Amino acid sequence: AKTTIWNGAYPPSWNKVNIKEAVLFGTINTIDVSCRVYIGLVLVNLASNYIPSLSLLLQQQQGQQLPTFAITLTVWIALAASSIKNVLFLQLVSGETLGRVELYDRLLDFCIFLLTCIQIINILGLEQGDLEFMQASLDVGKILTLAISLASRTLAENIIGGITLKLYEGFDEGDTVWLEDRKMKGKVLSIGLTETEILGSDNLEIKIPNSQIGVQGISNLSRVNQSRVKQTLRFHFSDTKKLPKVLDAITGEIEKSCPKVIADGSKPLVAFLESYESDHVKATVTCHFDDVSPQSSEYRVCRQEVIFAISRALDANEVELALPVA
């Protein structure tokens, strides 16, 4: 489930729910969180009347209360803005995968969060003198800057890689991809800020830093809507004179038996002799299918039907394939 700064998690399958459900969820979530904030502030006010140290920490004098209503209203406005943004993004993706919209969503949530914090600081009336502890923390941070610089560089590269993957939209969660550098095929489980998790064909989950994925050759097999079947055949030398008729019969049988085979000439549907080998004549059969992904179960059915079509053409011409000689 995709998370946000404010509400922790969207409803299950957030990008598949309808607009009414999204509005209802956002309204209930906004009221729920605002009530919790208000109750929490009231409890802090009550506690500050009896705990002097708490009153001093809040920079309040005895008897003075936190601006409960103003803070709650600020939080409510921020939550309402976030909910409206979610609904608009839901309309934009129209039930499809979020892709780069998820990145924009997180950036806007961060901006709303930042603006809300600034407004609350203004409401509390905190000035520079009240935040001197932050300056002390920054001074300590300077000492650690050199030590963490290398780690930060790697982290930054991974984060930039993650942002690039979201903007590029080369693949989404659930897609099957081929990583050329790793010679690996797998299903994308998640695309995080710093790493991408892929489930390999051996059912092993592999986490790859985004900075490495960004420079690899990636093919999204799930977005391929055409596929190819190629078969290599071995014929006896004694059947050479029959082969022109046999090859024509093979292509004809494939076209007749496979409804989705591309036979309009835009893709090759051919069966041809390729070479003379030491113990056989080598031939190749190639055909393409439209609207059949190579990762789908339908592709395996089409490939099987091609094999059956070749077998029927051979039987009709009384030709047998040559077996390899040991």
Side-chain angles (χ1 to χ4, degrees), residues 34-61:
S34 298
C35 290
R36 292 183 185 184
V37 171
Y38 182 81
I39 293 172
L41 291 173
V42 170
L43 293 177
V44 170
N45 280 333
L46 292 175
S48 65
N49 292 329
Y50 302 97
I51 305 176
S53 59
L54 179 59
S55 178
L56 180 63
L57 177 63
L58 296 175
Q59 298 294 317
Q60 301 292 323
Q61 296 180 354

Side-chain angles (χ1 to χ4, degrees), residues 112-321:
I112 293 173
F113 173 78
L114 185 61
L115 291 175
T116 303
C117 291
I118 294 174
Q119 180 61 22
I120 291 176
I121 290 175
N122 291 333
I123 292 173
L124 293 176
L126 297 178
E127 299 178 355
Q128 183 65 31
D130 300 321
L131 302 177
E132 290 181 353
F133 70 95
M134 294 182 62
Q135 182 63 41
S137 299
L138 291 175
D139 292 338
V140 174
K142 292 178 182 179
I143 302 177
L144 300 177
T145 300
L146 183 60
I148 65 174
S149 59
L150 293 178
S152 298
R153 177 181 177 183
T154 302
L155 178 63
E157 289 177 350
N158 289 332
I159 292 175
I160 292 174
I163 293 175
T164 302
L165 290 178
K166 290 293 185 181
L167 293 175
Y168 172 57
E169 287 189 321
F171 55 85
D172 294 313
E173 295 177 2
D175 288 350
T176 300
V177 298
W178 171 261
L179 301 178
E180 182 63 29
D181 292 358
R182 292 174 176 256
K183 303 299 180 183
M184 167 188 168
K185 181 177 73 173
K187 180 180 180 180
V188 179
L189 298 180
S190 64
I191 305 175
L193 188 61
T194 60
E195 62 185 12
T196 297
E197 189 172 359
I198 296 178
L199 180 65
S201 55
D202 53 2
N203 288 327
L204 291 179
E205 295 183 5
I206 301 175
K207 295 182 179 181
I208 305 175
N210 289 333
S211 60
Q212 295 183 14
I213 286 188
V215 297
Q216 293 190 34
I218 303 176
S219 299
N220 190 339
L221 303 180
S222 297
R223 296 185 182 178
V224 178
N225 59 1
Q226 292 186 347
S227 55
R228 184 190 72 167
V229 174
K230 181 179 180 180
Q231 295 291 315
T232 300
L233 307 179
R234 300 163 53 95
F235 291 106
H236 295 286
F237 290 115
S238 57
D239 292 326
T240 302
K241 293 182 179 180
K242 299 180 181 179
L243 293 186
K245 183 179 179 181
V246 172
L247 297 177
D248 288 340
I250 289 175
T251 56
E253 189 66 30
I254 292 175
E255 184 175 355
K256 181 176 67 175
S257 305
C258 305
K260 290 192 174 183
V261 70
I262 300 176
D264 59 1
S266 59
K267 295 287 185 179
L269 170 57
V270 294
F272 59 93
L273 297 179
E274 189 167 318
S275 63
Y276 278 104
E277 304 296 334
S278 60
D279 58 347
H280 69 278
V281 180
K282 181 180 178 181
T284 300
V285 178
T286 303
C287 56
H288 293 77
F289 294 89
D290 189 26
D291 198 26
V292 178
S293 170
Q295 300 302 311
S296 65
S297 58
E298 186 180 10
Y299 171 76
R300 291 188 286 272
V301 173
C302 290
R303 183 175 59 186
Q304 176 178 272
E305 194 55 45
V306 168
I307 295 175
F308 287 150
I310 293 174
S311 178
R312 289 192 293 269
L314 295 179
D315 291 342
N317 289 274
E318 298 181 348
V319 172
E320 295 181 355
L321 296 176

